[in-house]
Amino acid sequence: MRKYGVMFAVILTAILLSGCWDQRELSEITVVTGMAVDKGEDDKYILTVEGINATELNNRTASGNAPSIVYSAEGNTLAELTYRVNEGISRHLIYSHMRTLIIGEELAKEGIIDFIDFLERNREIRDDFNILIARGGEGIRCIKSDVSISEIYFFKIAHSAGHHDEGLGGRPRSEDE
């Protein structure tokens, strides 16, 4: 009898613990490829996020729109901004595939330790992305430049930064060096 009880418990555990309890459909999420943070008005920040529009990457569901979604929000903290962007896009944002963070030069001169601290503490954001400073301008201008409609711009930036590192034998220099 004890043998059947143990077998029943194992089968019941296997049934209850398997499955996709936190499953999200592709149409319900947006995979973030990059972010740009700039200084806004009245000591606020502007966060711009580029996310993949997955339905446009599939030939069967594509309707001819751009393969990426670019959305901006203004707020007091990066945590508030990520919440506002999440509301604005109306999909759950997945930050684990983010490749690049661009920081506007004016904001970078004031200091970026708060942003780096937030990114390090956020469990959804990995720490293997490029951090770039938009010299002489704002990060949003780097995103909204003239790129073909079939490209996801932050992937292009991450690819260029990687080739710069490999091809020239090092990383880009900072002004302090």
Side-chain angles (χ1 to χ4, degrees), residues 105-123:
E105 184 177 22
E106 185 180 346
L107 183 59
K109 286 180 179 178
E110 290 181 5
I112 59 172
I113 194 69
D114 293 334
F115 298 113
I116 303 303
D117 182 55
F118 172 79
L119 296 173
E120 282 291 321
R121 292 176 189 267
N122 190 325
R123 65 180 176 84

Side-chain angles (χ1 to χ4, degrees), residues 11-149:
I11 291 172
L12 184 63
T13 302
I15 290 171
L16 292 177
L17 294 180
S18 64
C20 298
W21 59 273
D22 65 345
Q23 164 187 328
R24 292 185 190 259
E25 294 295 325
L26 195 54
S27 61
E28 298 172 357
I29 65 169
T30 296
V31 177
V32 174
T33 58
M35 295 190 315
V37 183
D38 295 304
K39 185 143 180 70
E41 296 177 6
D42 301 326
D43 291 330
K44 291 189 175 190
Y45 305 107
I46 300 171
L47 176 70
T48 305
V49 172
E50 181 188 50
I52 295 175
N53 186 359
T55 55
E56 292 300 321
L57 295 176
N58 185 343
N59 291 335
R60 290 183 285 161
T61 60
S63 60
N65 294 325
S68 67
I69 300 167
V70 177
Y71 188 81
S72 293
E74 188 171 8
N76 294 318
T77 65
L78 199 54
E80 175 189 347
L81 288 169
T82 55
Y83 178 77
R84 284 188 179 185
V85 169
N86 204 7
E87 272 186 337
I89 292 180
S90 73
R91 294 179 179 187
H92 181 71
L93 297 177
I94 306 293
Y95 290 96
S96 61
H97 295 285
M98 187 173 80
R99 303 303 312 145
T100 308
L101 169 66
I102 300 176
I103 300 171
E105 184 177 22
E106 185 180 346
L107 183 59
K109 286 180 179 178
E110 290 181 5
I112 59 172
I113 194 69
D114 293 334
F115 298 113
I116 303 303
D117 182 55
F118 172 79
L119 296 173
E120 282 291 321
R121 292 176 189 267
N122 190 325
R123 65 180 176 84
E124 292 185 10
I125 300 175
R126 296 189 328 206
D127 62 355
D128 63 344
F129 55 88
N130 297 313
I131 300 175
L132 305 173
I133 307 296
R135 178 175 271 177
E138 298 175 328
I140 194 169
R141 286 188 26 212
C142 295
I143 301 168
K144 295 188 175 181
S145 62
D146 189 23
V147 177
S148 123
I149 199 165

